[in-house]
């Protein structure tokens, strides 16, 4: 049996270069990232609304939270979460690197909430 005060966390998903994330990546709950394009922002594109809908049994209004941690060391190695088709974004979608001038000041981990708003349609909000 499981303690009801805990939850299961599988292995984090690891990302490096700019990519289109999968629904499974987001649903894992934890993404570790080390962008390898030194000195450049890496775009991490959200999956389409259709792909999100196919990944689970979501009712309109259902949501889940996920986190991305940017462990890149160069100040300019930020990550930008970008919208996918029928998957929009709300808030500042930049994840700073671990560099002392960015991550140490603002944090290098960002929490998001993804919510189904209609059939094959999702919105991802930056929480912190």
């Amino acid at each position: 049996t499981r303690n009801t005060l805990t939850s299961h966390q599988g292995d984090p998903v690891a990302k490096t270069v700019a990519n289109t994330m999968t629904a499974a990546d987001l649903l894992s709950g934890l993404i570790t990232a080390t962008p390898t394009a030194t000195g450049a922002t890496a775009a991490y594109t959200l999956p389409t609304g259709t792909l999100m809908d196919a990944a689970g049994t979501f009712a309109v209004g259902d949501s889940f939270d996920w986190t991305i941690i940017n462990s890149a060391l160069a100040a300019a190695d930020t990550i930008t979460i970008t919208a996918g088709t029928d998957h929009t974004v709300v808030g500042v979608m930049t994840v700073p690197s671990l560099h002392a001038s960015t991550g140490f000041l603002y944090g290098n981990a960002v929490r998001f909430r993804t919510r189904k708003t209609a059939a094959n349609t999702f919105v991802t909000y930056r929480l912190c």
Side-chain angles (χ1 to χ4, degrees), residues 97-120:
S97 72
L98 186 58
H99 190 270
S101 68
T102 56
F104 282 179
L105 295 175
Y106 307 108
N108 67 314
V110 175
R111 188 100 171 133
F112 297 94
R113 177 164 294 149
T114 297
R115 179 176 176 268
K116 181 175 179 170
T117 58
N120 298 321

Side-chain angles (χ1 to χ4, degrees), residues 6-122:
T6 65
S7 61
H8 176 76
Q9 174 63 58
D11 292 337
V13 172
K15 298 287 184 181
T16 54
V17 298
N19 68 90
T20 297
M21 295 183 288
T22 67
D25 292 343
L26 304 186
L27 290 167
S28 78
L30 186 58
I31 299 169
T32 59
T34 310
T36 56
T38 303
T41 296
Y44 284 33
T45 304
L46 293 167
T48 68
T50 300
L51 291 173
M52 287 298 301
D53 230 7
T57 314
F58 299 105
V60 171
D62 284 353
S63 67
F64 63 93
D65 293 350
W66 55 280
T67 301
I68 188 163
I69 302 167
N70 182 354
S71 296
L73 297 177
D77 288 348
T78 59
I79 296 168
T80 300
I81 307 299
T82 59
T85 303
D86 296 323
H87 193 156
T88 57
V89 297
V90 175
V92 176
M93 292 291 158
T94 303
V95 182
S97 72
L98 186 58
H99 190 270
S101 68
T102 56
F104 282 179
L105 295 175
Y106 307 108
N108 67 314
V110 175
R111 188 100 171 133
F112 297 94
R113 177 164 294 149
T114 297
R115 179 176 176 268
K116 181 175 179 170
T117 58
N120 298 321
T121 308
F122 288 76

